[in-house]
């Protein structure tokens, strides 16, 4: 395999196999704990389907159903889907007609910016990771470490020059600017993750492809990449979660047209004359959670396999 | 094996170092077209590097590589007409068996129907037809090995390189595959360069064997030549199982008899290059030791260890302070016990004589 | 790693060839200097950029012709990182030696004054130091809480059991929430009048419960929210380590009659140590940057000001750009020292017995 | 997939991406004038946008579009500051908090409007008919000079929100009378007449535990008499404390006195210390969240709307939500009065308060064509008709003819307290150092509010800091 | 008395029966090999003895105690795992010491035991290295060392040599055998390599598909295979197993039609039980002598493939019926490809198997 002990290896990663089995007893036990852990999220979701005037009721209303009388009536509210409608269209003035809130655009922006930038970071980072893995330089780890340090500073520090730079170049408020920024933001992590995946692959398989007549480009795309799908998925999920919820860059560098949901979400927080609109905020968050939840759920198998495979040395 | 065959492969003076480690040291050999050629030697002797050099996976430091007469020393991998089976099989783990087979053909832009035909034909030949849609990870070791073989054969390479292809199989399969490979070679007639550390594989399959040591060939020849005329103790020790018994000896004045701990041994030939009193090593193959028949000149010995190997039993005996291994048929060893006395006879016509100092054969 | 073909000789210095990067650098430098002198910044910026692109292109062509695939593969990433990270970092490093306020575009060289002010000015230095101490406290508490909770959660999920997949995603969800939303909801959970926490505590003790009215409570509230959100991250990594422990090691330990405690330290822990360290590294870096939850929950009140929020106020609200840059470079210096120390320790431990 | 189809796919994707990226930046032509406006997202700005879309017909015949960027309040300043300092030159109009004037005028972002006013006497007349207190606060830099920069967008003052179902309840009236020998205020006029001591009495009187009798029924939850802002964020305590200081004879650093005005000795004068002590002494009667330093204007409003408080001092701008039964449990039980005052030695009430609300300003890169249309728009906006409509829709007007119109008090229940309050408005600093002054002061006030230090130390710290900073900046000699 | 005894042990995983009614006893000082192809249940059997799997039914008795309900740590056994199961975070010395912690010995005692065992297994030089930094052979020896540092009831080895290369395997076979002889404990070794089993075991239990097919000494299983499977599994090259028609048997000579030849061959009297029927005739490759011409007791075949094996040569010969017969001849006997051979099987080494595959023997 690779000749020099990698950074990961020095951290002590080793080979994987075997998971124990447990029965329904464990399921029950874990379910209780997972549920407790999930309660704050569940509360947000329930708030999203609460009537607005119950959002701050004391005692708090906890459930949309009494579960066959299990929960006392005072804690039960009758669910409504109105709040979700309000996310996209509601009256913005006293007694005014409902108007478009622009949230469809913000959702599109979030999805577009996150997926493009995470995808771009994945492409660029994967190439770089392959480069670092297969064409080792002296002091490889040092380069990786420098790449890592770019993540260490509070965002606000790089933001000052980036704002100045964007202003000079005219990228303020454009998709290109924010996407490039997020790409860079995700790059360090991507390179780190993907390099450890490539380090794991058998070099013989690549050589076999070369002997079978593949060019270097084909070896990469047809042989190496398909083998690290789990890693790509895991990296994508991590990157997505971080980018999806990123707030500060989005606030400072996106314009009205490129605004993402986390920024626009503040509409519901002290929305002028209305204080915090709890049900609206909950509805936005619930909707906003769905895409990343689904992506994570469907890539979950890859996620765990990816994390294991990628960071554990043979 | 025609004498006039073209040279499929010629390596002249190839050297290769990885940092301070010298993998190949002035390696030269040639392989006639159609030959089953074995590179034999223990691990890390440079076999794999030699194969990878031929394939073009490893650039050489110096030397020249010719394939069918043209200089391929720095040619790209793709055009060499060489394919290779790796020790690890190196199957494409993300592709089905079918796609593994089809891969080299797709790279050659073979038409779809032709690919299909050849994949099926190859699968049938290797008895893999029911496995075509499976991923390599779900196959047994033997099946994986056959897939690796099939993938190398399917594009009908002029030269096939096999890097310890049987090492990862279990014992029984290894035996069966030897004959299979030999049949395939005869059937397809391509040039094969086969690297192995297993002398049984080398002897049984190789039409010609090059014994390697420290990145260079120390002796090459047919299995018989190597078995019968090892050039030095290294080759003598590697070829033949169990290993040749080596007995310290001194050359006598008649140049044909030797003083040994077992007594004076007279060989059937005279050594021409030695001097009287020179220290020598006498190599006696375990199979050339027999239980002495009545009346035959025998060496008294005591049984030290009995290793039944099924058909045969290896019996180690102590004689004159030396331990000698001998191979006996299973039936004749069943009654033996360690500690028993055993009269041993040596077939003196088959004694190999080496210089103790250099290990070179004495002629 | 095959490059058996002979590489072409590099072109002579004055040859006009697309792979002559030496010439490209010369030309680029000359043109850039001239442009910087003759044109206004907004124009010369683009000219300098074009020159940089020219040099980069020459490097790429050179790499391609001579098959330096490694360089080619890494180039885009380096380019993006350079433009978006390293260049801004250098820029702000430069700024830290000037007196510059972004809302008032006057600029004046002041040397190390910003650093001196950050370290010695009796008002500024005290605030910085205070924020730094608080940040250190949050780093210790949040990371410790995340590690412990994440570790325990991972232990729960280490074995395969029915419905594991579905329960796991429940635990992962907090990480997916937007900090804005979850932070705001935590203000609700902690609210003494409306919040659930005070409701429950009030019912238990019969007395009014106000979590956030003292430093301990405020810190606990922030640490809890942060740990709740990010423990799943630690869990995921630890879990990956746990499932990677070969089962046969535990079997061997059973045969060798090794006690549970010793099993953990000699088998389990070494396997997850690497991932634990990785989690620790990433979470420490993030904890150093803690600002959003503080802003949402306390606005820095009850002595919970962190260095990151402090920087936001200085550099953004007060537009004291260069002063903020100086403070952040002091901080970066510390983070790098700490990380190196950490890496050194991590390596030493994995190499030693 | 062949190479060609791949290439096509890529080209399509790239084209799509490029369209998206370029889209959004549209360029105004001669006929089409686009005025881009950065505003906080709340009803007063939403109403303005609505009126514009529905009613505005430019006299020039050009097609004028008002492109409004509604930015959520919590991030409004951060976002506007980033836009301005990044030089993206995106907005023509910005709804700015009055205190930001100094920072952005000095930076060259806000356009002086004297020339526009002088070019149009009718416009000047309207402008001058704005009440001088809001005019000075919203438009002048340096403060109270003749340099004008902004137009009032939404003028705001603090008023007293009260629950008449509680305070007018017979039982409570009787008990209050018995306890304090004073009538518990019930009507708007009675509220107007309250002093801070009366306010304190209400706070003390109405502090009830869950289950205690409240207005004839057992309280469902803990109940409190009074609330006002005491939060660490933004200006969420200064705006209240300044009122106390001014009312009780103290002062803040006075920027109109530059360069002779001092901070030391003024900011921490004994009067100011006493005022702060007064302010702090009332906090114990407020809902417990006040002790955490997070009782901002939204929290006290929320508590009031949820029926946890009898009286709340808050901005009129937040009033609409109290009237909306969807967001308010007390929408039908409201009565409003002026903010409590301090009884002067002469027996007259002193009511100084810190003005709220926002002006909108023009940015310096706005083109002549845009300015022409912008002026037309502002004239339309300040026209009596639109100001009336705005007030009727939930806004406020500082234009004299409008707020003096008898109709005006009918628009909203708090409008009765509006005009008299205007006379008592002052503003904090407009200097570029505003944010430094504010954050340090808020930090110090927070320490006092959460009980970490006393009023004297607090104001001493504030004064020392201000003295240092302003001296360094050359504003104090 | 046997140290290890398993009685009617069955293991089922869901519908799949891994081990069926296995009976085996191992006496103190005896080495028994469980031999069989992969997936035959041999490892499962071993793991049931160790307590790593629970038997579905049946009894596991070790040192006279029924161990069915006891976990591995209570069974006092030592085991060498196929992948060695070295503790990667511990040095070689610490690995060896690991099983001793339970015994609460003093540090000096532990060190003494570790050094003693390290000497036996030639590990003294590498005691301070980490397992990842020692050679494959050293790893294997370390695994054994860790097992023999204790004084357990018995030793269990799971494929101990499968990861070593040819040469190492040869030498380790001898070493392990020597060490085991010195220990005199009941030992069970699982292997798929018959050579390992034949050289190391006192007795061999051959398993297939969860069933123990035959238990016997190396000589027994080689010379008297109980059935076709055992016959084919033991011996290299593999025994020729040729389908034949048993035409008649006169109590001494059997007349069979075999691979296109009619053959008269001396057979075990028990063959009479078979009557005329389909049989399988098993002949070891070394049991042929070459005749010069066709005879009543020769099989005609044509040399098809020749594999020199050093001292001997393996010939794959094709019979008239198209079957393949393996013949081993001494190297001096030169055979050319295509040469016609007349092979005379040695009746003493010819086995008859009935239609059920069972050997027919008196």
């Amino acid at each position: 395999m690779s000749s020099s002990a990698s950074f990961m290896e020095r951290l002590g990663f080793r080979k994987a196999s075997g998971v124990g089995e447990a029965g329904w007893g464990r399921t029950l036990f874990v379910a209780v704990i997972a549920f407790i852990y999930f309660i704050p999220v569940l509360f947000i979701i329930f708030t999203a389907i609460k009537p607005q005037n119950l959002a701050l009721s004391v005692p708090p209303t906890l459930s949309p159903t009494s579960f066959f009388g299990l929960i006392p009536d005072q804690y039960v509210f009758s669910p409504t889907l109105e709040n979700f409608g309000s996310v996209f269209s509601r009256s913005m003035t006293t007694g005014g007609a409902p108007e478009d809130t622009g949230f469809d655009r913000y959702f599109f922006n979030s999805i577009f910016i996150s997926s493009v930038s995470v995808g771009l970071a994945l492409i660029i980072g994967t190439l770089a990771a392959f480069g670092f893995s297969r064409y080792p330089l002296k002091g490889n780890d040092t380069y990786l470490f420098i790449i890592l340090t770019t993540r260490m500073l509070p965002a606000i520090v790089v933001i000052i020059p980036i704002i100045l730079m964007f202003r000079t170049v005219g990228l303020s408020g454009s998709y290109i600017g924010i996407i490039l920024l997020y790409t860079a933001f995700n790059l360090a992590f991507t390179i780190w993750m993907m390099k450890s995946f490539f380090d794991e692959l058998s070099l013989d398989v690549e050589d076999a492809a070369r002997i079978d007549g593949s060019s270097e480009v084909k070896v990469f795309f047809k042989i190496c990449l398909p083998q690290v799908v789990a890693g790509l998925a895991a990296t994508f999920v991590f990157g997505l979660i971080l980018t999806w919820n990123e707030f500060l860059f989005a606030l400072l560098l996106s314009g009205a047209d490129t605004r993402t949901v986390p920024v626009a979400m503040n509409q519901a927080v002290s929305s002028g004359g209305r204080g915090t609109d709890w049900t609206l905020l909950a509805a936005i968050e619930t909707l906003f959670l769905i895409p990343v939840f689904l992506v994570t759920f469907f890539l979950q198998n890859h996620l765990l396999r990816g994390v294991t495979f990628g960071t554990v040395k043979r | 094996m025609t004498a006039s065959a073209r040279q499929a492969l010629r390596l002249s003076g190839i050297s290769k170092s990885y940092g301070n480690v010298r993998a190949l040291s002035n390696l030269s050999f040639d392989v006639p077209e159609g030959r089953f050629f074995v590179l034999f030697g223990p691990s890390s002797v440079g076999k794999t590097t030699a194969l990878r050099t031929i394939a073009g996976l490893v650039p050489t430091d110096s030397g020249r590589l010719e394939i069918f007469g043209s200089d391929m020393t720095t040619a790209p991998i793709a055009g060499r007409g060489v394919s290779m089976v790796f020790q690890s099989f190196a199957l494409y783990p993300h592709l089905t068996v079918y796609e593994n087979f089809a891969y080299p053909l797709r790279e050659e832009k073979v038409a779809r129907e032709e690919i299909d035909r050849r994949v099926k034909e190859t699968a049938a030949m290797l008895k893999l037809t029911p496995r075509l849609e499976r991923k390599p990870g779900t196959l047994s070791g033997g099946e994986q090995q056959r897939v690796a073989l099939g993938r190398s054969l399917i594009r009908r390479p002029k030269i096939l390189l096999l890097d310890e292809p049987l090492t990862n199989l279990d014992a029984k399969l290894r035996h069966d595959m030897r004959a299979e490979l030999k049949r395939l070679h005869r059937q397809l007639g391509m040039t094969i360069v086969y690297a192995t550390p297993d002398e049984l594989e080398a002897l049984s399959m190789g039409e010609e064997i090059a014994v390697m040591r420290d990145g260079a060939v120390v002796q090459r020849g047919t299995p018989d030549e190597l078995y019968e005329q090892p050039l030095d103790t290294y080759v003598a020790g590697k070829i033949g199982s169990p290993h040749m018994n080596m007995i310290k000896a001194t050359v006598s004045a008649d140049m044909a008899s030797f003083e040994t701990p077992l007594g004076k041994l007279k060989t059937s030939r005279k050594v021409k290059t030695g001097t009287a009193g020179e220290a020598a090593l006498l190599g006696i193959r375990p199979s050339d030791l027999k239980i002495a028949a009545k009346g035959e000149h025998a060496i008294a010995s005591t049984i030290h260890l009995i290793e039944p190997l099924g058909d045969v039993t290896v019996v180690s005996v102590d004689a004159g302070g030396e331990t000698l291994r001998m191979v006996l048929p299973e039936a004749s060893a069943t009654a033996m016990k360690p500690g028993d006395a055993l009269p041993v006879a040596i077939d003196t016509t088959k004694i190999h004589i080496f210089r103790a100092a250099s290990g070179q054969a004495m002629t | 790693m095959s490059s058996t073909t002979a590489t072409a000789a590099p072109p002579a210095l004055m040859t006009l060839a697309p792979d002559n990067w030496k010439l490209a650098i010369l030309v680029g430098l000359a043109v850039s200097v001239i442009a910087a002198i003759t044109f206004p910044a907004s124009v010369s910026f683009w000219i300098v950029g074009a020159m940089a692109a020219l040099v980069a292109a020459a490097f790429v062509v050179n790499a391609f012709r001579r098959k330096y695939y490694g360089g080619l593969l890494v180039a885009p990433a380096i380019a993006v990182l350079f433009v978006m990270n390293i260049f801004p970092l250098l820029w702000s490093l430069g700024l830290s030696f000037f007196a510059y306020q972004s809302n008032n575009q006057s600029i004046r060289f002041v040397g190390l004054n910003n650093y001196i002010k950050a370290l010695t000015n009796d008002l500024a230095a005290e605030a910085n130091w205070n924020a730094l101490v608080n940040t250190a406290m949050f780093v210790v508490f949040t990371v410790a809480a995340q590690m412990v909770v994440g570790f325990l959660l991972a232990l729960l999920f280490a074995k395969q059991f029915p419905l594991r997949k579905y329960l796991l995603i429940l635990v992962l969800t907090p990480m997916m929430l937007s900090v804005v939303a979850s932070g705001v909801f935590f203000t609700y959970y902690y609210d003494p009048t409306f919040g659930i926490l005070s409701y429950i505590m009030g019912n238990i003790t019969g007395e009014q419960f106000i979590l956030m009215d003292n430093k301990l409570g405020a810190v606990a509230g922030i640490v809890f929210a942060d740990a709740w959100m990010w423990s799943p991250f630690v869990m995921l990594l630890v879990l990956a380590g746990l499932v990677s422990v070969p089962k046969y090691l535990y079997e061997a330990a059973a045969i060798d009659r090794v006690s549970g405690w010793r099993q953990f330290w000699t088998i389990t822990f070494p396997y997850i140590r690497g991932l634990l360290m990785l989690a620790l590294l990433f979470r420490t870096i993030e904890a150093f940057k803690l600002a959003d939850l503080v802003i949402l929950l306390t606005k820095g009140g009850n002595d919970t000001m962190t260095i990151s929020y402090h920087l936001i106020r200085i550099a953004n609200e007060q537009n004291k750009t260069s002063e903020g840059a100086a403070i952040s470079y002091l901080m970066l210096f510390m983070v790098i020292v700490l990380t190196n120390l950490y890496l050194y320790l991590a390596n030493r431990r994995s190499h030693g017995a | 997939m062949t190479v060609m189809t791949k290439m096509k796919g890529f080209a399509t994707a790239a084209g799509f991406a490029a369209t998206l990226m370029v889209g959004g930046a549209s360029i105004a032509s001669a006929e089409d004038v686009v005025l881009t406006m950065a505003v906080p997202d709340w009803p007063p700005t939403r109403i303005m946008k609505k009126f514009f879309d529905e009613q505005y017909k430019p006299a020039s015949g050009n097609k004028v579009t008002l492109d409004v960027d509604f930015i959520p309040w919590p991030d409004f300043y951060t976002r506007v500051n980033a836009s301005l300092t990044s030089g993206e030159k995106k907005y023509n109009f910005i709804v700015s908090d009055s205190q930001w004037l100094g920072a952005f005028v000095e930076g060259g972002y806000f356009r002086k409007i004297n020339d526009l006013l002088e070019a149009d006497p009718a416009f000047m007349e309207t402008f001058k008919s704005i009440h001088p207190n809001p005019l000075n606060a919203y438009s002048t830099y340096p403060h109270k000079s003749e340099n004008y920069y902004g137009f009032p967008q939404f003028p705001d003052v603090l008023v007293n929100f009260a629950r008449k179902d509680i305070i007018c309840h017979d039982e409570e009236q009787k008990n209050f009378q018995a306890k304090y020998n004073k009538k518990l205020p019930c009507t708007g006029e009675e509220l107007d007449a309250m002093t801070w001591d009366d306010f304190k009495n209400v706070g003390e009187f109405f502090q009830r535990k869950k289950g205690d009798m409240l207005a004839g029924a057992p309280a469902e939850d803990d109940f409190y008499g009074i609330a006002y802002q005491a939060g660490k964020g933004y200006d969420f305590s200064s705006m209240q404390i300044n009122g106390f200081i001014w009312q009780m004879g103290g002062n803040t650093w006075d920027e109109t006195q530059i360069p002779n005005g001092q901070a030391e000795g003024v900011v921490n004068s004994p009067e100011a210390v006493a005022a702060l002590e007064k302010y702090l002494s009332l906090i114990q009667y407020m809902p417990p969240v006040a002790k955490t330093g997070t009782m901002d204007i939204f929290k006290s409003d929320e508590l009031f709307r949820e029926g946890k408080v009898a009286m709340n001092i808050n901005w009129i701008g937040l009033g609409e939500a109290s009237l909306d039964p969807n967001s308010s449990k007390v929408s039908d039980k409201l009565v409003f009065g002026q903010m409590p005052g301090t009884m002067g030695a002469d027996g007259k009430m002193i009511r100084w308060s810190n003005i709220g609300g926002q002006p909108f300003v023009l940015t310096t890169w706005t083109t002549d064509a845009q300015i022409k249309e912008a002026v037309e728009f502002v004239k339309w906006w300040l026209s009596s008709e639109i100001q009336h409509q705005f007030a009727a829709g939930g806004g406020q007007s500082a234009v004299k003819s409008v707020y003096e119109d008898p109709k005006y008090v009918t628009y909203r229940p708090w409008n009765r307290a509006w005009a008299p309050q205007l006379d008592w408005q002052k503003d904090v600093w407009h200097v570029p150092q505003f944010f430094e002054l504010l954050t340090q002061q808020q930090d110090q006030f927070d320490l006092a509010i959460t009980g970490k230090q006393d009023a004297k130390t607090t104001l001493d710290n504030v004064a020392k800091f201000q003295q240092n900073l302003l001296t360094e900046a050359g504003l104090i000699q | 008395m046997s140290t290890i005894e398993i009685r009617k042990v069955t293991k089922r995983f869901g519908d799949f029966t891994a081990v069926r009614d296995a009976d085996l006893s191992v006496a103190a000082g005896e080495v028994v090999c469980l031999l069989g192809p992969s997936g035959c249940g041999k490892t499962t059997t071993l793991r049931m003895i160790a307590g790593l799997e629970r038997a579905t039914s049946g009894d596991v008795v070790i040192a006279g105690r029924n161990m069915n309900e006891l976990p591995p740590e209570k069974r006092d056994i030592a085991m060498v795992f196929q992948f060695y199961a070295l503790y990667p975070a511990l040095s070689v010395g610490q690995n060896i010491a690991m099983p001793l912690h339970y015994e609460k010995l003093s540090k000096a005692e532990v060190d003494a035991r570790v050094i003693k065992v390290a000497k036996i297994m030639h590990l003294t030089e590498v005691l301070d290295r980490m397992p990842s930094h020692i050679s494959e052979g050293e790893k294997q020896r370390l695994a054994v060392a860790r097992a023999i540092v204790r004084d357990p009831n018995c030793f269990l080895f799971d494929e101990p040599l499968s990861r070593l290369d040819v040469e190492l395997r040869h030498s380790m076979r001898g070493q392990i055998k020597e060490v085991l002889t010195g220990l005199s404990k009941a030992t069970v070794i699982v292997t798929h390599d018959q050579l390992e089993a034949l050289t190391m075991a006192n007795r061999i239990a051959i398993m297939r598909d969860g069933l123990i097919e035959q238990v016997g000494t190396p000589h027994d299983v080689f010379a008297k295979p109980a059935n076709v499977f055992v016959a084919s599994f033991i011996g290299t090259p593999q025994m020729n197993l040729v389908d034949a028609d048993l035409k008649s048997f006169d109590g001494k000579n059997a007349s069979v039609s075999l691979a296109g030849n009619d053959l008269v061959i001396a057979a075990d009297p028990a063959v009479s039980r078979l009557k005329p029927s389909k049989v399988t005739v098993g002949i070891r490759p070394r049991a042929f002598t070459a005749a010069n011409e066709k005879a009543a007791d020769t099989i005609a075949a044509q040399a098809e493939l020749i594999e020199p094996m050093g001292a001997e040569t393996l010939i794959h010969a094709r019979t008239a019926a198209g079957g393949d017969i393996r013949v081993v001849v001494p190297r001096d006997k030169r055979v050319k490809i295509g040469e016609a051979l007349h092979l005379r099987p040695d009746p003493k080494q010819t086995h008859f198997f009935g239609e059920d595959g069972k050997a027919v023997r008196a």
Side-chain angles (χ1 to χ4, degrees), chain A:
Chain A
M1 296 286 136
S2 68
S3 49
S4 66
S6 79
F7 184 74
M8 291 302 217
E9 194 171 49
R10 281 206 259 136
L11 283 176
F13 294 105
R14 284 184 188 90
K15 185 184 159 117
S17 88
V19 184
E21 293 263 350
W24 284 96
R26 172 68 78 115
T27 303
L28 192 71
F29 178 61
V30 176
V32 169
I33 289 174
F35 178 77
I36 292 172
Y37 206 80
F38 189 67
I39 283 177
V41 183
L42 193 68
F43 193 88
I44 294 177
I45 295 170
F46 281 170
T47 304
I49 53 171
K50 261 182 209 180
Q52 201 187 8
N53 57 11
L54 284 181
L56 288 169
S57 57
V58 180
T61 47
L62 297 175
S63 166
T65 136
S66 70
F67 287 105
F68 313 106
L70 219 62
I71 296 172
D73 278 350
Q74 55 175 333
Y75 298 112
V76 178
F77 62 89
S78 52
T80 167
L81 290 178
E82 234 172 75
N83 299 315
F84 294 110
S86 301
V87 173
F88 297 100
S89 167
R90 65 176 184 275
S91 165
M92 306 297 263
T93 59
T94 309
E99 35 185 314
D100 181 14
T101 60
F103 256 89
D104 41 358
R105 181 68 187 256
Y106 305 144
F107 271 104
F108 168 81
N109 287 341
S110 268
I111 292 168
F112 178 72
I113 292 173
S114 305
S115 50
V116 171
S117 56
V118 176
L120 212 58
L122 217 49
I123 293 169
I124 296 174
T126 304
L127 286 175
F130 190 69
F132 277 122
S133 172
R134 291 298 184 272
Y135 304 91
L137 303 159
K138 261 199 184 139
N140 212 333
D141 292 351
T142 315
Y143 295 112
L144 285 174
F145 186 71
I146 289 172
I147 287 173
L148 185 73
T149 54
T150 61
R151 279 208 58 158
M152 287 181 185
L153 278 185
I156 193 75
V157 181
V158 274
I159 259 189
I160 303 157
I162 286 174
I163 289 177
L164 296 175
M165 189 171 71
F166 276 21
R167 140 175 151 188
T168 314
V169 187
L171 283 178
S172 305
S174 69
Y175 281 110
I176 293 182
I178 191 83
I179 284 173
L180 269 180
L181 187 64
Y182 280 160
T183 305
F185 174 79
N186 279 321
L187 212 46
F189 186 72
T190 308
I191 293 176
W192 256 54
M193 281 281 274
M194 293 312 299
K195 177 177 181 290
S196 52
F197 282 98
F198 285 124
D199 286 348
E200 284 292 300
L201 296 187
S202 158
L203 295 178
D204 279 355
V205 174
E206 282 158 52
D207 282 343
R210 290 191 183 102
I211 289 180
D212 284 346
S214 297
S215 62
E216 294 300 312
V217 177
K218 270 198 179 162
V219 167
F220 177 69
F221 281 105
K222 292 179 79 170
I223 302 298
C224 297
L225 264 197
Q227 291 185 67
V228 294
V229 169
L232 290 171
T235 313
F236 183 80
V237 168
F238 275 124
L240 185 71
I241 286 175
L242 290 176
T243 314
W244 187 248
N245 289 318
E246 204 288 325
F247 176 72
L248 197 61
F249 286 131
L251 171 66
L252 295 178
L253 295 169
S254 67
D257 305 316
T258 55
R259 189 161 296 154
T260 58
V261 176
V263 178
M265 193 182 273
N266 261 338
Q267 262 189 11
V269 182
S270 56
S271 65
R274 293 178 181 269
T276 303
D277 193 335
W278 296 98
T279 53
L280 180 65
L281 178 66
I284 297 170
E285 178 56 50
T286 305
L287 289 178
F288 192 54
L289 182 61
I290 291 171
V292 70
F293 184 91
L294 288 180
V295 169
T296 310
F297 183 75
F298 286 114
L299 294 180
Q300 196 189 3
N301 290 341
H302 286 311
L303 192 64
L304 203 56
R305 202 153 53 96
V307 174
T308 316
F309 183 79
T311 49
V312 174
K313 264 279 159 190
R314 216 175 290 272

Side-chain angles (χ1 to χ4, degrees), chain E residues 14-32:
Chain E
D15 292 339
F16 174 70
T17 305
V19 177
R20 189 173 308 160
D21 291 339
D23 286 310
L24 188 69
S25 62
V26 187
E30 192 185 26
V31 178
V32 171

Side-chain angles (χ1 to χ4, degrees), chain E residues 44-58:
Chain E
T44 309
T45 309
L46 189 77
R47 290 169 62 83
M48 284 191 289
I49 298 174
L52 297 170
E53 305 282 356
R54 233 186 115 99
T56 312
S57 66

